Amino acid sequence: MKYYSTNKQAPDVTLEEAVVRGLAADKGLFMPYTIKPLPQEFYDRIDTLSFQEIAYRVADAFFGEDVPADVLKQIVYDTLNFDVPLVRVTEEIYSLELFHGPTLAFKDVGGRFMARLLGYFIRKEGKKQVDVLVATSGDTGSAVANGFLGVEGIHVYVLYPKGKVSEIQEKQFTTLGRNITALEVDGTFDDCQALVKSAFMDRELNEHLLLTSANSINVARFLPQAFYYFYAYAQLKKMTATGFYPVICVPSGNFGNITAGLFGKQMGLPVKRFIAANNRNDIFYQYLQTGVYTPRPSVATIANAMDVGDPSNFARVLDLYGGSHERIAAEVSGATYTDGQIAETMRETWRECHYLLDPHGACGFRALKEGLEPGETGIFLETAHPAKFLDTVEGIIGEKVEIPAKLQAFMRGEKKSLPMSRKFSDFKKYLMAL
Ligand SMILES: *Cc1c(COP(=O)(O)O)cnc(C)c1O
């Protein structure tokens, strides 16, 4: 399958080139030429299939032309070695718990898949080492580092802002060793991102190293996120015997997660409509209201993985609907919440339903509570485990939160990181010496 750039100023590429490069030469995002619908027979018996079986059918539609069936199946089955259960929270609202993977956030799915697919391409081509650069404010670094741990031919450099990442998050990518190096940058998340961007644009560096990015602009990270939308529907169908056409609500930052869901709908997945839930960084919400897209610097909130001022996958959403605001607004509505509203939702849901939301999932739950029409059923994506935001969550509910064993295991590891200044010349010197 060929991939084109959303900016339409760069030549088409193969899947392999799209995965290795991440971003198109014209700085656009790669899109597959065709989105293949899955047959009715698949939807009729989807509730009899396992998560891995469902995911493989979806993966085959995306990647089957480019990756041999046995390899693709192995990648899918290895990636999804954990469950993504659908849990009923109220009469009509269900939580899709995406936090049962190794780093307890949904990014495990894309991170693990991309690591395995890139590893396959490197082995196949006999390529030399590929170096993955990733800037993180928390969840991305841990999912990517853990996904790539031990994958031959790939080294990952995680750049994170010193003192601005929670201890739990920091431990998830500084204790691994092997092919993972943590660079502790004396600066902010924006400084980390600027260092990575400058590295990709530096000619000399790119002649010296084969660099790629592992954030959600990469097709190998964002497309696999479609898998669990299908599995959510399968579980709903099993639980309710009808399946309905659910309304799906996605707590959104860079919009990679929801875009994968929109792809799913184009493949025939029965979804009535989508809701994109924002925190105060409501650039997409404003776009839906006005038809004008106005990026602005992000502000810090308690749902910090959604603190994005210029969502990178917006270009894909636009492209998917031919640039039509009307068509986008017909399929996706928006919601936006302050920290106060997020905290109130977490407290109330804990008290009334005894369900503990994390700050991101709380935006999703609230948007369904306020936005469902009578007779509709809603599913929100619970994107991370509440214990990842321990201080925030305990402060809000006024109770201790139990830390899952997987997180505790990271806490026992020994932190190892290299200090790095926020000057590109220092970072470049470091990379050139590799
Ligand atoms: C990354 C992240 C998000 C935002 O997802 P996007 O794909 O960037 O929209 C939401 N919640 C959590 C917990 C995250 O880690």
Side-chain angles (χ1 to χ4, degrees):
M1 172 120 46
K2 289 283 185 199
Y3 288 77
Y4 63 91
S5 162
T6 51
N7 284 346
K8 308 208 164 68
Q9 304 291 316
D12 294 342
V13 298
T14 61
L15 172 66
E16 180 175 339
E17 288 169 295
V19 173
V20 173
R21 288 191 203 162
L23 203 62
D26 61 3
K27 307 264 179 287
L29 276 67
F30 289 119
M31 291 283 277
Y33 262 98
T34 41
I35 300 174
K36 293 183 197 158
L38 292 166
Q40 189 53 47
E41 152 274 320
F42 169 70
Y43 293 108
D44 288 344
R45 56 184 202 95
I46 193 168
D47 51 325
T48 67
L49 304 176
S50 72
F51 184 22
Q52 291 167 324
E53 287 168 333
I54 292 168
Y56 176 62
R57 286 293 296 267
V58 179
D60 180 53
F62 289 138
F63 308 116
E65 288 173 26
D66 304 295
V67 184
D70 55 331
V71 175
L72 186 58
K73 195 165 190 173
Q74 189 71 50
I75 291 175
V76 170
Y77 278 58
D78 278 356
T79 298
L80 305 175
N81 65 348
F82 54 90
D83 197 19
V84 176
L86 188 71
V87 174
R88 191 172 204 161
V89 180
T90 71
E91 196 64 34
E92 59 282 322
I93 300 178
Y94 294 76
S95 170
L96 184 67
E97 294 187 347
L98 289 160
F99 55 70
H100 297 277
T103 73
L104 295 89
F106 80 89
K107 292 183 175 78
D108 280 328
V109 174
R112 291 170 64 79
F113 188 92
M114 182 186 162
R116 285 159 180 77
L117 187 63
L118 187 58
Y120 161 70
F121 284 137
I122 290 171
R123 281 194 306 279
K124 177 170 132 298
E125 299 290 313
K127 274 199 176 65
K128 54 166 190 153
Q129 169 102 2
V130 172
D131 292 298
V132 172
L133 303 182
V134 59
T136 186
S137 56
D139 286 342
T140 302
S142 44
V144 168
N146 283 274
F148 280 81
L149 183 64
V151 178
E152 235 168 274
I154 304 177
H155 200 103
V156 177
Y157 297 87
V158 180
L159 288 82
Y160 74 103
K162 180 183 161 95
K164 295 189 177 63
V165 169
S166 79
E167 193 191 349
I168 288 182
Q169 287 177 320
E170 186 179 31
K171 288 267 185 169
Q172 286 185 318
F173 52 80
T174 56
T175 57
L176 301 168
R178 295 165 77 181
N179 61 328
I180 312 297
T181 301
L183 300 172
E184 189 169 7
V185 176
D186 193 7
T188 62
F189 169 66
D190 290 336
D191 292 322
C192 298
Q193 201 153 29
L195 287 176
V196 170
K197 277 192 182 153
S198 302
F200 287 130
M201 290 194 295
D202 189 280
R203 247 244 309 278
E204 202 184 355
L205 255 181
N206 286 277
E207 281 163 6
H208 178 60
L209 300 170
L210 191 51
L211 296 176
T212 191
S213 107
N215 66 28
S216 62
I217 58 167
N218 200 303
V219 292
R221 233 199 85 188
F222 116 87
L223 284 174
Q225 296 172 160
F227 300 161
Y228 43 71
Y229 288 88
F230 289 83
Y231 183 49
Y233 175 74
Q235 292 180 80
L236 184 67
K237 195 173 172 194
K238 209 186 276 181
M239 288 161 90
T240 61
T242 59
F244 313 108
Y245 268 57
V247 176
I248 298 188
C249 180
V250 188
S252 294
N254 261 325
F255 280 70
N257 209 2
I258 195 169
T259 305
L262 299 174
F263 270 63
K265 185 156 192 243
Q266 296 225 346
M267 296 163 84
L269 182 68
V271 179
K272 192 166 179 207
R273 59 192 172 89
F274 286 88
I275 304 176
N278 284 149
N279 57 27
R280 281 198 300 131
N281 297 284
D282 60 353
I283 289 82
F284 185 77
Y285 177 83
Q286 296 301 336
Y287 165 77
L288 288 175
Q289 312 309 310
T290 62
V292 185
Y293 180 72
T294 317
R296 54 173 204 267
S298 63
V299 294
T301 76
I302 56 171
N304 62 353
M306 288 155 49
D307 294 350
V308 179
D310 186 4
S312 46
N313 286 285
F314 180 70
R316 284 195 170 113
V317 177
L318 263 187
D319 192 87
L320 204 53
Y321 296 96
S324 163
H325 172 261
E326 196 187 328
R327 285 181 57 206
I328 294 172
E331 201 119 300
V332 191
S333 60
T336 168
Y337 299 112
T338 63
D339 279 359
Q341 290 172 312
I342 294 170
E344 175 186 75
T345 306
M346 289 166 66
R347 251 189 317 269
E348 273 177 13
T349 313
W350 177 240
R351 202 171 51 220
E352 289 163 18
C353 314
H354 218 73
Y355 191 83
L356 187 58
L357 294 161
D358 95 291
H360 308 81
C363 297
F365 177 80
R366 181 158 181 152
L368 284 177
K369 220 172 165 199
E370 293 178 351
L372 282 184
E373 306 279 344
E376 284 183 336
T377 299
I379 296 173
F380 70 98
L381 273 49
E382 183 38 295
T383 47
H385 193 286
K388 287 196 90 169
F389 314 94
L390 199 65
D391 296 344
T392 304
V393 175
E394 289 184 342
I396 289 169
I397 63 165
E399 287 177 39
K400 280 273 171 219
V401 172
E402 200 181 320
I403 303 176
K406 263 183 270 189
L407 269 185
Q408 286 178 16
F410 283 114
M411 299 301 285
R412 285 192 290 270
E414 190 199 339
K415 169 184 159 179
K416 282 208 182 80
S417 67
L418 288 174
M420 182 59 60
S421 88
R422 60 199 161 98
K423 283 201 304 233
F424 179 61
S425 55
D426 289 339
F427 184 45
K428 180 173 172 178
K429 203 162 111 197
Y430 170 76
L431 292 176
M432 288 299 290
L434 291 175

